[in-house]
PDB file of all heavy atoms in Angstrom:
ATOM      1  N   LEU A   1    -140.965  39.689 -17.893  1.00  0.00           N
ATOM      2  CA  LEU A   1    -139.649  40.204 -17.973  1.00  0.00           C
ATOM      3  C   LEU A   1    -138.799  39.503 -19.178  1.00  0.00           C
ATOM      4  O   LEU A   1    -138.179  40.156 -19.975  1.00  0.00           O
ATOM      5  CB  LEU A   1    -138.794  40.024 -16.709  1.00  0.00           C
ATOM      6  CG  LEU A   1    -137.298  40.495 -16.789  1.00  0.00           C
ATOM      7  CD1 LEU A   1    -137.307  41.925 -16.659  1.00  0.00           C
ATOM      8  CD2 LEU A   1    -136.579  39.775 -15.535  1.00  0.00           C
ATOM      9  N   ARG A   2    -138.906  38.119 -19.165  1.00  0.00           N
ATOM     10  CA  ARG A   2    -138.171  37.326 -20.173  1.00  0.00           C
ATOM     11  C   ARG A   2    -138.722  37.669 -21.552  1.00  0.00           C
ATOM     12  O   ARG A   2    -137.954  37.639 -22.550  1.00  0.00           O
ATOM     13  CB  ARG A   2    -138.410  35.769 -19.895  1.00  0.00           C
ATOM     14  CG  ARG A   2    -137.720  35.337 -18.729  1.00  0.00           C
ATOM     15  CD  ARG A   2    -138.084  33.875 -18.396  1.00  0.00           C
ATOM     16  NE  ARG A   2    -137.223  33.378 -17.304  1.00  0.00           N
ATOM     17  CZ  ARG A   2    -137.444  32.200 -16.619  1.00  0.00           C
ATOM     18  NH1 ARG A   2    -138.554  31.593 -17.000  1.00  0.00           N
ATOM     19  NH2 ARG A   2    -136.703  31.752 -15.701  1.00  0.00           N
ATOM     20  N   GLN A   3    -139.994  38.063 -21.699  1.00  0.00           N
ATOM     21  CA  GLN A   3    -140.484  38.405 -23.000  1.00  0.00           C
ATOM     22  C   GLN A   3    -140.094  39.808 -23.427  1.00  0.00           C
ATOM     23  O   GLN A   3    -140.054  40.108 -24.571  1.00  0.00           O
ATOM     24  CB  GLN A   3    -142.101  38.312 -22.933  1.00  0.00           C
ATOM     25  CG  GLN A   3    -142.542  36.783 -22.907  1.00  0.00           C
ATOM     26  CD  GLN A   3    -144.143  36.673 -22.598  1.00  0.00           C
ATOM     27  OE1 GLN A   3    -144.696  37.703 -22.241  1.00  0.00           O
ATOM     28  NE2 GLN A   3    -144.722  35.549 -22.749  1.00  0.00           N
ATOM     29  N   ALA A   4    -140.021  40.662 -22.465  1.00  0.00           N
ATOM     30  CA  ALA A   4    -139.637  42.080 -22.682  1.00  0.00           C
ATOM     31  C   ALA A   4    -138.206  42.493 -22.993  1.00  0.00           C
ATOM     32  O   ALA A   4    -137.998  43.314 -23.758  1.00  0.00           O
ATOM     33  CB  ALA A   4    -140.299  42.984 -21.624  1.00  0.00           C
ATOM     34  N   ILE A   5    -137.219  41.611 -22.369  1.00  0.00           N
ATOM     35  CA  ILE A   5    -135.913  41.968 -22.302  1.00  0.00           C
ATOM     36  C   ILE A   5    -134.961  40.873 -22.706  1.00  0.00           C
ATOM     37  O   ILE A   5    -135.054  39.859 -22.022  1.00  0.00           O
ATOM     38  CB  ILE A   5    -135.365  42.661 -21.000  1.00  0.00           C
ATOM     39  CG1 ILE A   5    -136.275  43.894 -20.642  1.00  0.00           C
ATOM     40  CG2 ILE A   5    -134.055  42.970 -21.068  1.00  0.00           C
ATOM     41  CD1 ILE A   5    -136.012  44.433 -19.201  1.00  0.00           C
ATOM     42  N   ALA A   6    -134.424  40.911 -23.871  1.00  0.00           N
ATOM     43  CA  ALA A   6    -133.532  39.821 -24.120  1.00  0.00           C
ATOM     44  C   ALA A   6    -132.363  39.610 -23.303  1.00  0.00           C
ATOM     45  O   ALA A   6    -131.846  40.550 -22.576  1.00  0.00           O
ATOM     46  CB  ALA A   6    -132.914  40.071 -25.586  1.00  0.00           C
ATOM     47  N   GLY A   7    -131.918  38.402 -23.072  1.00  0.00           N
ATOM     48  CA  GLY A   7    -130.702  38.109 -22.101  1.00  0.00           C
ATOM     49  C   GLY A   7    -131.359  37.963 -20.669  1.00  0.00           C
ATOM     50  O   GLY A   7    -130.542  37.658 -19.784  1.00  0.00           O
ATOM     51  N   THR A   8    -132.641  37.806 -20.454  1.00  0.00           N
ATOM     52  CA  THR A   8    -133.143  37.420 -19.202  1.00  0.00           C
ATOM     53  C   THR A   8    -133.738  36.076 -19.190  1.00  0.00           C
ATOM     54  O   THR A   8    -134.343  35.667 -18.147  1.00  0.00           O
ATOM     55  CB  THR A   8    -134.279  38.513 -18.750  1.00  0.00           C
ATOM     56  OG1 THR A   8    -135.415  38.392 -19.800  1.00  0.00           O
ATOM     57  CG2 THR A   8    -133.674  39.851 -18.764  1.00  0.00           C
ATOM     58  N   GLU A   9    -133.469  35.304 -20.214  1.00  0.00           N
ATOM     59  CA  GLU A   9    -134.114  34.002 -20.176  1.00  0.00           C
ATOM     60  C   GLU A   9    -133.676  33.090 -19.050  1.00  0.00           C
ATOM     61  O   GLU A   9    -134.396  32.117 -18.685  1.00  0.00           O
ATOM     62  CB  GLU A   9    -133.708  33.262 -21.607  1.00  0.00           C
ATOM     63  CG  GLU A   9    -134.250  33.991 -22.741  1.00  0.00           C
ATOM     64  CD  GLU A   9    -133.462  35.223 -23.250  1.00  0.00           C
ATOM     65  OE1 GLU A   9    -132.358  35.334 -22.709  1.00  0.00           O
ATOM     66  OE2 GLU A   9    -133.805  35.934 -24.097  1.00  0.00           O
ATOM     67  N   ASP A  10    -132.402  33.302 -18.545  1.00  0.00           N
ATOM     68  CA  ASP A  10    -131.982  32.505 -17.549  1.00  0.00           C
ATOM     69  C   ASP A  10    -132.184  33.049 -16.161  1.00  0.00           C
ATOM     70  O   ASP A  10    -131.829  32.539 -15.092  1.00  0.00           O
ATOM     71  CB  ASP A  10    -130.437  32.187 -17.688  1.00  0.00           C
ATOM     72  CG  ASP A  10    -130.146  31.387 -18.991  1.00  0.00           C
ATOM     73  OD1 ASP A  10    -131.049  30.526 -19.294  1.00  0.00           O
ATOM     74  OD2 ASP A  10    -129.004  31.487 -19.617  1.00  0.00           O
ATOM     75  N   CYS A  11    -132.778  34.240 -16.098  1.00  0.00           N
ATOM     76  CA  CYS A  11    -133.064  34.898 -14.761  1.00  0.00           C
ATOM     77  C   CYS A  11    -134.147  34.075 -14.051  1.00  0.00           C
ATOM     78  O   CYS A  11    -135.134  33.550 -14.713  1.00  0.00           O
ATOM     79  CB  CYS A  11    -133.638  36.289 -14.990  1.00  0.00           C
ATOM     80  SG  CYS A  11    -132.369  37.551 -15.514  1.00  0.00           S
ATOM     81  N   GLU A  12    -134.006  33.984 -12.803  1.00  0.00           N
ATOM     82  CA  GLU A  12    -134.838  33.258 -11.967  1.00  0.00           C
ATOM     83  C   GLU A  12    -135.244  34.148 -10.770  1.00  0.00           C
ATOM     84  O   GLU A  12    -134.320  35.013 -10.373  1.00  0.00           O
ATOM     85  CB  GLU A  12    -134.205  31.927 -11.419  1.00  0.00           C
ATOM     86  CG  GLU A  12    -133.960  30.959 -12.531  1.00  0.00           C
ATOM     87  CD  GLU A  12    -135.075  30.261 -13.128  1.00  0.00           C
ATOM     88  OE1 GLU A  12    -136.256  30.469 -12.648  1.00  0.00           O
ATOM     89  OE2 GLU A  12    -134.933  29.736 -14.227  1.00  0.00           O
ATOM     90  N   ILE A  13    -136.282  33.845 -10.211  1.00  0.00           N
ATOM     91  CA  ILE A  13    -136.815  34.664  -8.962  1.00  0.00           C
ATOM     92  C   ILE A  13    -135.897  34.241  -7.774  1.00  0.00           C
ATOM     93  O   ILE A  13    -135.772  33.124  -7.386  1.00  0.00           O
ATOM     94  CB  ILE A  13    -138.328  34.464  -8.619  1.00  0.00           C
ATOM     95  CG1 ILE A  13    -139.105  34.937  -9.762  1.00  0.00           C
ATOM     96  CG2 ILE A  13    -138.526  35.186  -7.410  1.00  0.00           C
ATOM     97  CD1 ILE A  13    -139.093  36.358 -10.113  1.00  0.00           C
ATOM     98  N   GLU A  14    -135.242  35.267  -7.253  1.00  0.00           N
ATOM     99  CA  GLU A  14    -134.350  34.975  -6.025  1.00  0.00           C
ATOM    100  C   GLU A  14    -135.111  35.324  -4.664  1.00  0.00           C
ATOM    101  O   GLU A  14    -134.771  34.753  -3.607  1.00  0.00           O
ATOM    102  CB  GLU A  14    -133.019  35.759  -6.147  1.00  0.00           C
ATOM    103  CG  GLU A  14    -132.055  34.984  -7.184  1.00  0.00           C
ATOM    104  CD  GLU A  14    -130.653  35.735  -7.083  1.00  0.00           C
ATOM    105  OE1 GLU A  14    -130.624  36.857  -6.611  1.00  0.00           O
ATOM    106  OE2 GLU A  14    -129.848  34.997  -7.503  1.00  0.00           O
ATOM    107  N   ASP A  15    -135.914  36.261  -4.816  1.00  0.00           N
ATOM    108  CA  ASP A  15    -136.605  36.846  -3.542  1.00  0.00           C
ATOM    109  C   ASP A  15    -137.881  37.545  -3.865  1.00  0.00           C
ATOM    110  O   ASP A  15    -138.028  38.236  -4.858  1.00  0.00           O
ATOM    111  CB  ASP A  15    -135.685  37.879  -2.761  1.00  0.00           C
ATOM    112  CG  ASP A  15    -136.300  38.318  -1.463  1.00  0.00           C
ATOM    113  OD1 ASP A  15    -136.344  37.403  -0.721  1.00  0.00           O
ATOM    114  OD2 ASP A  15    -136.469  39.449  -1.436  1.00  0.00           O
ATOM    115  N   ILE A  16    -138.945  37.262  -3.023  1.00  0.00           N
ATOM    116  CA  ILE A  16    -140.245  37.849  -3.226  1.00  0.00           C
ATOM    117  C   ILE A  16    -140.486  38.676  -1.917  1.00  0.00           C
ATOM    118  O   ILE A  16    -140.324  38.093  -0.872  1.00  0.00           O
ATOM    119  CB  ILE A  16    -141.260  36.872  -3.397  1.00  0.00           C
ATOM    120  CG1 ILE A  16    -141.034  35.991  -4.776  1.00  0.00           C
ATOM    121  CG2 ILE A  16    -142.642  37.452  -3.591  1.00  0.00           C
ATOM    122  CD1 ILE A  16    -141.967  34.791  -4.867  1.00  0.00           C
ATOM    123  N   THR A  17    -140.920  39.873  -2.056  1.00  0.00           N
ATOM    124  CA  THR A  17    -141.331  40.790  -0.963  1.00  0.00           C
ATOM    125  C   THR A  17    -142.863  41.180  -1.180  1.00  0.00           C
ATOM    126  O   THR A  17    -143.129  41.666  -2.248  1.00  0.00           O
ATOM    127  CB  THR A  17    -140.532  41.896  -0.771  1.00  0.00           C
ATOM    128  OG1 THR A  17    -139.101  41.571  -0.640  1.00  0.00           O
ATOM    129  CG2 THR A  17    -140.968  42.783   0.421  1.00  0.00           C
ATOM    130  N   VAL A  18    -143.632  40.823  -0.222  1.00  0.00           N
ATOM    131  CA  VAL A  18    -145.080  41.206  -0.309  1.00  0.00           C
ATOM    132  C   VAL A  18    -145.479  42.050   0.773  1.00  0.00           C
ATOM    133  O   VAL A  18    -145.202  41.806   1.938  1.00  0.00           O
ATOM    134  CB  VAL A  18    -146.042  39.840  -0.276  1.00  0.00           C
ATOM    135  CG1 VAL A  18    -147.474  40.248  -0.398  1.00  0.00           C
ATOM    136  CG2 VAL A  18    -145.578  38.981  -1.505  1.00  0.00           C
ATOM    137  N   ARG A  19    -146.003  43.257   0.459  1.00  0.00           N
ATOM    138  CA  ARG A  19    -146.312  44.149   1.515  1.00  0.00           C
ATOM    139  C   ARG A  19    -147.722  44.819   1.116  1.00  0.00           C
ATOM    140  O   ARG A  19    -148.034  44.901   0.010  1.00  0.00           O
ATOM    141  CB  ARG A  19    -145.316  45.215   1.594  1.00  0.00           C
ATOM    142  CG  ARG A  19    -143.969  44.841   2.195  1.00  0.00           C
ATOM    143  CD  ARG A  19    -144.029  44.460   3.577  1.00  0.00           C
ATOM    144  NE  ARG A  19    -142.649  44.226   4.095  1.00  0.00           N
ATOM    145  CZ  ARG A  19    -141.980  43.085   4.044  1.00  0.00           C
ATOM    146  NH1 ARG A  19    -142.575  42.019   3.443  1.00  0.00           N
ATOM    147  NH2 ARG A  19    -140.795  42.914   4.681  1.00  0.00           N
ATOM    148  N   VAL A  20    -148.380  45.317   2.252  1.00  0.00           N
ATOM    149  CA  VAL A  20    -149.423  46.063   2.100  1.00  0.00           C
ATOM    150  C   VAL A  20    -148.982  47.508   2.167  1.00  0.00           C
ATOM    151  O   VAL A  20    -148.465  47.999   3.128  1.00  0.00           O
ATOM    152  CB  VAL A  20    -150.531  45.820   3.113  1.00  0.00           C
ATOM    153  CG1 VAL A  20    -151.818  46.798   2.900  1.00  0.00           C
ATOM    154  CG2 VAL A  20    -151.025  44.393   3.050  1.00  0.00           C
ATOM    155  N   ARG A  21    -149.266  48.336   1.199  1.00  0.00           N
ATOM    156  CA  ARG A  21    -148.789  49.721   1.100  1.00  0.00           C
ATOM    157  C   ARG A  21    -149.891  50.702   1.570  1.00  0.00           C
ATOM    158  O   ARG A  21    -151.025  50.687   1.160  1.00  0.00           O
ATOM    159  CB  ARG A  21    -148.474  50.137  -0.395  1.00  0.00           C
ATOM    160  CG  ARG A  21    -147.326  49.153  -0.869  1.00  0.00           C
ATOM    161  CD  ARG A  21    -147.302  49.059  -2.316  1.00  0.00           C
ATOM    162  NE  ARG A  21    -146.193  48.289  -2.824  1.00  0.00           N
ATOM    163  CZ  ARG A  21    -146.019  47.851  -4.232  1.00  0.00           C
ATOM    164  NH1 ARG A  21    -146.967  48.227  -5.015  1.00  0.00           N
ATOM    165  NH2 ARG A  21    -145.103  47.019  -4.397  1.00  0.00           N
ATOM    166  N   PRO A  22    -149.522  51.597   2.595  1.00  0.00           N
ATOM    167  CA  PRO A  22    -150.397  52.453   3.272  1.00  0.00           C
ATOM    168  C   PRO A  22    -150.867  53.527   2.070  1.00  0.00           C
ATOM    169  O   PRO A  22    -149.945  54.006   1.342  1.00  0.00           O
ATOM    170  CB  PRO A  22    -149.726  53.133   4.357  1.00  0.00           C
ATOM    171  CG  PRO A  22    -148.302  52.934   4.004  1.00  0.00           C
ATOM    172  CD  PRO A  22    -148.113  51.693   3.165  1.00  0.00           C
ATOM    173  N   MET A  23    -152.198  53.891   2.154  1.00  0.00           N
ATOM    174  CA  MET A  23    -152.802  54.767   1.277  1.00  0.00           C
ATOM    175  C   MET A  23    -153.941  55.472   1.875  1.00  0.00           C
ATOM    176  O   MET A  23    -154.923  54.809   2.254  1.00  0.00           O
ATOM    177  CB  MET A  23    -153.206  54.130  -0.066  1.00  0.00           C
ATOM    178  CG  MET A  23    -153.801  55.051  -1.071  1.00  0.00           C
ATOM    179  SD  MET A  23    -152.650  55.943  -2.060  1.00  0.00           S
ATOM    180  CE  MET A  23    -152.111  54.502  -3.173  1.00  0.00           C
ATOM    181  N   PRO A  24    -153.860  56.733   2.026  1.00  0.00           N
ATOM    182  CA  PRO A  24    -155.118  57.475   2.552  1.00  0.00           C
ATOM    183  C   PRO A  24    -156.200  57.205   1.484  1.00  0.00           C
ATOM    184  O   PRO A  24    -155.936  56.944   0.261  1.00  0.00           O
ATOM    185  CB  PRO A  24    -154.730  59.009   2.459  1.00  0.00           C
ATOM    186  CG  PRO A  24    -153.284  58.940   2.784  1.00  0.00           C
ATOM    187  CD  PRO A  24    -152.682  57.735   1.931  1.00  0.00           C
ATOM    188  N   ALA A  25    -157.442  57.271   1.990  1.00  0.00           N
ATOM    189  CA  ALA A  25    -158.608  56.804   1.128  1.00  0.00           C
ATOM    190  C   ALA A  25    -158.699  57.511  -0.166  1.00  0.00           C
ATOM    191  O   ALA A  25    -159.168  56.904  -1.153  1.00  0.00           O
ATOM    192  CB  ALA A  25    -159.830  56.844   2.011  1.00  0.00           C
ATOM    193  N   ASP A  26    -158.395  58.770  -0.178  1.00  0.00           N
ATOM    194  CA  ASP A  26    -158.497  59.500  -1.449  1.00  0.00           C
ATOM    195  C   ASP A  26    -157.271  59.537  -2.237  1.00  0.00           C
ATOM    196  O   ASP A  26    -157.141  60.223  -3.328  1.00  0.00           O
ATOM    197  CB  ASP A  26    -159.059  60.917  -1.300  1.00  0.00           C
ATOM    198  CG  ASP A  26    -158.133  61.733  -0.411  1.00  0.00           C
ATOM    199  OD1 ASP A  26    -156.969  61.250   0.003  1.00  0.00           O
ATOM    200  OD2 ASP A  26    -158.411  62.959  -0.018  1.00  0.00           O
ATOM    201  N   GLY A  27    -156.234  58.781  -1.844  1.00  0.00           N
ATOM    202  CA  GLY A  27    -154.971  58.517  -2.701  1.00  0.00           C
ATOM    203  C   GLY A  27    -154.028  59.730  -2.551  1.00  0.00           C
ATOM    204  O   GLY A  27    -153.025  59.738  -3.088  1.00  0.00           O
ATOM    205  N   ARG A  28    -154.354  60.832  -1.842  1.00  0.00           N
ATOM    206  CA  ARG A  28    -153.359  61.941  -1.621  1.00  0.00           C
ATOM    207  C   ARG A  28    -152.774  61.873  -0.260  1.00  0.00           C
ATOM    208  O   ARG A  28    -153.202  61.263   0.745  1.00  0.00           O
ATOM    209  CB  ARG A  28    -154.055  63.244  -1.814  1.00  0.00           C
ATOM    210  CG  ARG A  28    -154.765  63.481  -3.261  1.00  0.00           C
ATOM    211  CD  ARG A  28    -155.588  64.622  -3.237  1.00  0.00           C
ATOM    212  NE  ARG A  28    -155.913  65.116  -4.696  1.00  0.00           N
ATOM    213  CZ  ARG A  28    -156.634  64.456  -5.608  1.00  0.00           C
ATOM    214  NH1 ARG A  28    -157.342  63.391  -5.151  1.00  0.00           N
ATOM    215  NH2 ARG A  28    -156.887  64.974  -6.814  1.00  0.00           N
ATOM    216  N   PRO A  29    -151.647  62.586  -0.112  1.00  0.00           N
ATOM    217  CA  PRO A  29    -151.027  62.661   1.304  1.00  0.00           C
ATOM    218  C   PRO A  29    -151.931  63.196   2.331  1.00  0.00           C
ATOM    219  O   PRO A  29    -152.774  63.897   2.068  1.00  0.00           O
ATOM    220  CB  PRO A  29    -149.867  63.616   0.962  1.00  0.00           C
ATOM    221  CG  PRO A  29    -149.605  63.703  -0.408  1.00  0.00           C
ATOM    222  CD  PRO A  29    -151.006  63.456  -1.158  1.00  0.00           C
ATOM    223  N   ALA A  30    -151.641  62.689   3.660  1.00  0.00           N
ATOM    224  CA  ALA A  30    -152.260  63.148   4.747  1.00  0.00           C
ATOM    225  C   ALA A  30    -151.249  63.595   5.691  1.00  0.00           C
ATOM    226  O   ALA A  30    -150.564  62.685   6.333  1.00  0.00           O
ATOM    227  CB  ALA A  30    -153.281  62.223   5.335  1.00  0.00           C
ATOM    228  N   ILE A  31    -151.016  64.875   5.900  1.00  0.00           N
ATOM    229  CA  ILE A  31    -149.980  65.377   6.636  1.00  0.00           C
ATOM    230  C   ILE A  31    -150.439  66.552   7.485  1.00  0.00           C
ATOM    231  O   ILE A  31    -150.805  67.486   7.009  1.00  0.00           O
ATOM    232  CB  ILE A  31    -148.715  65.816   5.905  1.00  0.00           C
ATOM    233  CG1 ILE A  31    -148.307  64.647   5.000  1.00  0.00           C
ATOM    234  CG2 ILE A  31    -147.509  66.266   6.712  1.00  0.00           C
ATOM    235  CD1 ILE A  31    -147.273  65.050   3.860  1.00  0.00           C
ATOM    236  N   GLY A  32    -150.182  66.450   8.797  1.00  0.00           N
ATOM    237  CA  GLY A  32    -150.586  67.630   9.676  1.00  0.00           C
ATOM    238  C   GLY A  32    -151.089  67.152  11.019  1.00  0.00           C
ATOM    239  O   GLY A  32    -151.235  66.081  11.412  1.00  0.00           O
ATOM    240  N   PRO A  33    -151.397  68.157  11.923  1.00  0.00           N
ATOM    241  CA  PRO A  33    -151.945  67.987  13.239  1.00  0.00           C
ATOM    242  C   PRO A  33    -153.255  67.239  13.103  1.00  0.00           C
ATOM    243  O   PRO A  33    -154.116  67.465  12.120  1.00  0.00           O
ATOM    244  CB  PRO A  33    -152.157  69.345  13.870  1.00  0.00           C
ATOM    245  CG  PRO A  33    -151.264  70.224  12.929  1.00  0.00           C
ATOM    246  CD  PRO A  33    -151.221  69.682  11.668  1.00  0.00           C
ATOM    247  N   LEU A  34    -153.610  66.461  14.096  1.00  0.00           N
ATOM    248  CA  LEU A  34    -154.931  65.752  14.123  1.00  0.00           C
ATOM    249  C   LEU A  34    -155.211  65.355  15.502  1.00  0.00           C
ATOM    250  O   LEU A  34    -154.300  64.823  16.330  1.00  0.00           O
ATOM    251  CB  LEU A  34    -154.940  64.518  13.176  1.00  0.00           C
ATOM    252  CG  LEU A  34    -156.308  63.768  13.109  1.00  0.00           C
ATOM    253  CD1 LEU A  34    -157.232  64.627  12.422  1.00  0.00           C
ATOM    254  CD2 LEU A  34    -156.113  62.402  12.423  1.00  0.00           C
TER     255      LEU A  34
END
């Protein structure tokens, strides 16, 4: 970020969120009766 955008040199990380994101195996939505 600091390399890409001027004026961010003093930015610091305030919060980190780590999550596992659900994904059907073929990458497409899965919606309907089962």
Side-chain angles (χ1 to χ4, degrees):
L1 177 76
R2 290 171 172 171
Q3 293 173 345
I5 300 175
T8 60
E9 296 81 7
D10 294 331
C11 288
E12 299 291 346
I13 299 295
E14 289 190 333
D15 184 62
I16 300 171
T17 301
V18 177
R19 293 290 189 273
V20 178
R21 298 160 178 167
M23 177 83 75
D26 61 1
R28 290 170 169 80
I31 304 170
L34 185 67

